[in-house]
Amino acid sequence: MKRRTFFLASAGVVGTAGALVVGWSVLPPRQRLLTHRPLPTAPGQVAFNGWVKIGADDRVAIVMPKSEMGQGTHTGLAMLLADELDADWSKVDLAAAPIDAIYNDIATVVDGLPFPPDDHGVLARLAAWMTAKTMREVGIMVTGGSSSLKDLWGPMRQAGASARAMLVAAAARAWGVPAAEVTVADGVLSHRSGRQARLGEFAAAAAALPLPDAPVLKTPAQFRLIGRPLPRLWAEATAKGLGRAGFGIDMLPPGLLYASVRMCPTLGGRVASFDAAAALKLPGVKQALALAAHGGGSGGVAVIADTPWHAMKGVQALAVRWDEAVPAAGFSSDAAMGELARALDGEQGAFTFLRVGDADAALAGAARRVEAEYRAPYLAHLAMEPINCTVQFKDGRATVWAPTQVPGLARRAAAQVLGLEPEAVDVQVTYLGGGFGRRLESDFVAQAAEIARAAGGAPVQTLWPRDEDVRHDFYRPAAVARLAAGLDGSGRVLGWRSLSAGQAIVPQVLERSFGLPGLGPDKTTAEGAFDQAYEWPTARVAHVAVELPVPVGFWRSVGHSYQAFFVESFVDELAHALGQDPLALRLSLLARHPRHRAVLQQAAALAGWGQSAAPAPDGAKTARGLALHQSFGSIVAQVAEVSLAEEGAIRVHRVWCAIDCGTPVNPNLIRQQMESAVVFGLSAALYGGVTIARGQVLQSNFHDQPALRMGQCPVIETAVLPGTEPPEGVGEPGTPPIAPAVANAIFALTGRRLRTLPLKLA
């Protein structure tokens, strides 16, 4: 073919493809009501759409694609659909969702675009539109990013309203009355003539009707469940209260065997050889095998036995020679901090996430400059339920019982290891005994599948010892930041600059989960720094992504977890430099952000900000610190009251918290999550820090990576602000402000500014 002919043909193809893309882009996203395949139903039960099934016994089964790891997601989401359906809440059950595109999480990826919340420009709106459409087609089912209620606020309500309209139509047809005269309340259909029927009586007839084109959703004034502080769904609360809830470790299929693992101590290392002779002589031990490195993890060895204890003793008895000639060999976290600091010296490769005016010029011409450097360490997830997964591989099919946040990726990981099509793998998602982002990874699922492949058809539960969990995590990245502000002669802020350095998570996740390279800037590196509401006259926020041989992953609140500490600590430093009250300075920088001001003022009012703090129970002097942070769409302010023990240990007595998360679907769950986030964040702020030497993680368990104990837990008081906007995130936004609030309180108490996490005075 001649070059000209080839060019014209190519141009025609590109032009046609471009036209198709443009045409596709202007179409609305595809529906999220109907699954690709009909939902399975029990006898007497019918499916109205991909989200709800109703039985002749009036039980309403709400299809749940999200994982429950203590955050109350199942209850909150069920409230959305049940409210629009006008179901009897006492008759609501849950059904596990199949893996289907309508359950793909759209909100998490849209929120991951590198645009500040205040950016409503054409580019930001177009990027969000195209991303939402794409994720509907090729995304994944995921529970993360505090997105569950936000993502399903529309689909769940539409599904309930659609089913309600179909039930009303069926009743109206049977009774020979206009549909507008039929009402629904608490699972009962009624007509003014006195006729009544339960939902189950018309379920079959209603499900046979076509879906309504545009079901009418309730207004907030019509909500019966949404906005109420309901307790957890009865089935969940009862199961957990009686110790019958099915967590991953509780999966006990017939003939179950157990496996314990030991991975190469050096991150990314593998097995060179091993001798199983001693292990195979131990009671109950059935098999020993070497394991490949899966999903960005390390290689290791496993022992299969008849009990967990026998498996653990067996794997300890293996004589292993490790292959530690890997990039992490010789790496240390202390040296990494120096490397991150040096990356800031030249800003080589820095990406600017926010630019308002010329901040560098404003700082250069300022009468006074305030500067500080902050540091945050690597962190492990430390969920209470250790890593586990149960797999049975038999007759060309597999069943996976897993506490996972990503069932689709878990299915694919198991299928790849077992040489199966994904459809031949059935993933049963259990309750999660904590996730915090660790169970967004599928390394442990692939590993469990490899072990089950060697078990000859028997189901095998792979359970990691706690030290393997800590030493083979995907850690919250370490980070270093330098912040600077310029002040004029009268004490006004002229400019703000934030430069940080650390590893990028998204490129690693894309590579190990999808085999794809990371494209563009990773928002998670600088989130919490460039996307805050403070109205600086000039500002520049940039981040240098530094590649280091440490596996990093999403950790509760991700980049916000350290950027909030940097930003809110430095805002406090500015207040001190200006001789202003920390609350007053923040309010002055939020003139055009009334919601942020309201949250700040609410937290301050709860704490009695400006009044003298009462002494601690032992008479020690106390002081208070304040922090404000927006993350995952929600605005949170916290005030922490602290004192010092005689040996200098930091004690946090009270935390006052205020949150604006849009429509508060269930205030009870929101308060619980704020308390959880404060405890989780305090554990990290006071004790958290993973140390790496010669490529090996030194910490191993809660004795050297402590969590806050009950006797150390502060009293936490939370105010949930009313709102009419769609709901935003709740599970993570309470974590970022607590570290700076405590650090700022320590400064108020002692005059010492702590700029490195964890917070230590000695």
Side-chain angles (χ1 to χ4, degrees), residues 596-624:
H596 293 74
R597 291 173 60 88
V599 171
L600 261 175
Q601 290 167 330
Q602 180 65 72
L606 285 176
W609 186 266
Q611 303 172 14
S612 298
D618 62 355
K621 182 180 178 182
T622 64
R624 294 169 181 164

Side-chain angles (χ1 to χ4, degrees), residues 611-651:
Q611 303 172 14
S612 298
D618 62 355
K621 182 180 178 182
T622 64
R624 294 169 181 164
L626 174 71
L628 170 75
H629 196 75
Q630 180 176 358
S631 63
F632 305 94
S634 294
I635 308 160
V636 177
Q638 290 173 355
V639 177
E641 183 176 271
V642 308
S643 73
L644 298 181
E646 290 185 1
E647 68 276 13
I650 299 168
R651 302 182 300 185

